[in-house]
Amino acid sequence: MITVVVEDKMQIDYQYCLTEPEGQHFAPDFDPHLTPKQMLALGVFGGKYLTDCQNEFPKDWFEQARISPDIKDTSLNYFGVDASQPLAEWQRKGWIHPQDPRGWFQWYCRYYMGRRTEDDARQIKRWKSFRRHWSAVVKNCEPFDHNCRKKQRQALLHWAYDSTRI
């Protein structure tokens, strides 16, 4: 078992254990299309995600990542649009738990790395509920018309659904 010690702008002295091999042994009802590395390479969150905590994750995740170290740059997003709500809104809605103060994607990165916690079921339920956006794109857009519902497609990428293939 490996212990990861986190020291970044949002967490100090937080530790977690990796109890599963990286990218393996996911919950049976959790089958994301994209890995965190693939998401970062496609362009998500305006490039302003994990910029101060890259040491926590595998170096190769960031080799092709579309990162903006200083400010959010939505042109780095695959669909070139902003599909994010501010962190303050996520906090207001109670979606943020102290173990993952950056939200769902941080949880997913840590889960992918092999961390398992009591919050997994809640986060997987949230991921599954986001699937409705996939259905809306399929229903309302011609196949591979990436100009149709760009914001919804970008949001799907933020949740590890590969909306580039619909």
Side-chain angles (χ1 to χ4, degrees), residues 137-151:
V137 170
V138 169
K139 179 180 177 184
N140 294 290
C141 299
E142 293 295 321
F144 302 104
D145 177 1
H146 289 177
N147 288 313
C148 180
R149 294 186 175 234
K150 291 170 78 167
K151 190 171 184 176

Side-chain angles (χ1 to χ4, degrees), residues 49-77:
Y49 209 101
L50 306 181
T51 55
D52 69 315
C53 58
Q54 293 179 19
N55 291 338
E56 180 182 343
F57 303 105
K59 192 175 188 173
D60 73 312
W61 284 16
F62 300 94
E63 290 171 356
Q64 302 292 322
R66 301 178 80 177
I67 297 287
S68 177
D70 298 317
I71 60 168
K72 183 177 179 179
D73 179 355
T74 56
S75 72
L76 295 173
N77 284 345

Side-chain angles (χ1 to χ4, degrees), residues 25-43:
H25 305 155
F26 287 10
D29 57 343
F30 184 56
D31 186 26
H33 301 162
L34 300 166
T35 67
K37 178 181 176 177
Q38 291 169 322
M39 293 171 68
L40 291 166
L42 282 170

Side-chain angles (χ1 to χ4, degrees), residues 23-25 39 50 53 66 69 82-83 92 95 100 109 126 130:
Q24 298 180 37
H25 305 155
M39 293 171 68
L50 306 181
C53 58
R66 301 178 80 177
D82 188 1
R92 186 186 71 75
W95 293 338
D100 300 312
C109 289
R126 293 180 65 225
F130 210 81

Side-chain angles (χ1 to χ4, degrees), residues 4 8 18-19 21 24-25 27 29 39 49 58 76 80 87 91 94 100 113-115 120-121 146 150 159 166:
V4 177
D8 62 38
L18 303 178
T19 58
Q24 298 180 37
H25 305 155
D29 57 343
M39 293 171 68
Y49 209 101
L76 295 173
L87 181 60
Q91 291 166 332
D100 300 312
M113 289 288 300
R115 182 191 73 174
D120 296 349
H146 289 177
K150 291 170 78 167
W159 286 82
I166 54 173

